[in-house]
Amino acid sequence: MLGITDLPAYLVGLVLIVLLPGPNSLYVLSVAARRGIRTGYRASAGVWCGDAVLMTLSAAGVASLLQANALLFGIVKYAGAGYLAWLAFGMLRTARDMWRSRREPGGTEEVSSPVAEERPFRRALVISLFNPKAILFFVAFFVQFVDPGYAYPALSFVVLGAFAQLVSFLYLSALIFGGTRLAAAFRRRRRLSAGATSAAGALFLGFAVKLSVSSSA
């Protein structure tokens, strides 16, 4: 169908891959829990735009170029790792302020920090784009399901990409609405909010380390 060799297998693999935790989904969940549904969808839009760019680059063969060129891959890899580490340290600083203020009488629920000035769409977009493993995955995964003899391979990529965006939309929507439920508990309990922010910062730092030691092979 439309140059796709095995659509059921693609959908099963796609769902399993989307459900794997990563910096994109973690960031959307964090934003939704802190700032509500509308802001959560703004962050999700950044993820979807970033994924669309990666899919387009994969279809155009740019991912293969990165895989073959160690220097280019290294530049993208370390730039992405540095950005994730910067986000991680920002979250950890926010968590530190939360821990310090949790026992202060009359303290405010919100802690002044760079998080309050973030631009969710832009941050989510950058997180998505600076992920060389995602680029390499898209090209490796998509190619397996595109019939090389089909006359319009671009159409095949569009269909596969549309399914990927649909699954991502459903998954991130579930995270957003789940995150807003957590928000009420976070507002009532400063210790819980500080702990969750600390955990998110630690996970982002882990993503940065994992990305920095990854290879293009």
Side-chain angles (χ1 to χ4, degrees):
M1 181 185 72
L2 299 177
I4 301 173
T5 58
D6 193 345
L7 183 59
Y10 169 76
L11 293 177
V12 171
L14 177 63
V15 169
L16 293 176
I17 291 161
V18 168
L19 291 178
L20 290 175
N24 291 347
S25 57
L26 178 61
Y27 181 68
V28 170
L29 176 61
S30 173
V31 167
R34 289 182 284 109
R35 303 181 64 181
I37 293 176
R38 179 176 297 181
T39 308
Y41 272 110
R42 286 171 58 193
S44 296
V47 173
W48 297 325
C49 288
D51 286 348
V53 172
L54 293 182
M55 293 174 196
T56 303
L57 293 176
S58 298
V62 174
S64 298
L65 176 62
L66 277 177
Q67 190 173 21
N69 191 311
L71 177 59
L72 285 178
F73 180 84
I75 291 173
V76 174
K77 178 178 71 172
Y78 289 115
Y83 186 74
L84 291 178
W86 179 74
L87 289 179
F89 286 119
M91 290 180 178
L92 292 174
R93 284 195 302 269
T94 300
R96 179 197 61 192
D97 294 338
M98 288 177 176
W99 285 112
R100 288 178 176 177
S101 65
R102 73 186 190 282
R103 293 181 179 176
E104 295 178 2
T108 58
E109 295 295 333
E110 298 292 335
V111 177
S112 178
S113 71
V115 175
E117 302 173 0
E118 69 183 313
R119 294 177 173 84
F121 176 87
R122 187 176 67 180
R123 283 201 174 184
L125 177 63
V126 174
I127 290 172
S128 298
L129 293 178
F130 279 94
N131 191 343
K133 278 297 185 181
I135 299 175
L136 299 178
F137 162 77
F138 275 125
V139 72
F141 191 66
F142 278 14
V143 169
Q144 297 180 36
F145 299 95
V146 175
D147 182 1
Y150 187 62
Y152 307 101
L155 179 60
S156 303
F157 280 102
V158 169
V159 174
L160 293 175
F163 278 115
Q165 295 287 45
L166 175 61
V167 173
S168 177
F169 172 80
L170 296 175
Y171 177 58
L172 292 182
S173 293
L175 292 182
I176 289 170
F177 285 99
T180 54
R181 292 193 172 207
L182 293 175
F186 288 163
R187 285 192 292 267
R188 291 194 302 268
R189 301 179 182 180
R190 297 180 189 175
R191 187 186 299 272
L192 177 61
S193 181
T197 304
S198 299
L203 284 173
F204 265 82
L205 191 58
F207 288 133
V209 173
K210 182 179 179 180
L211 178 57
S212 66
V213 299
S214 65
S215 66
S216 60

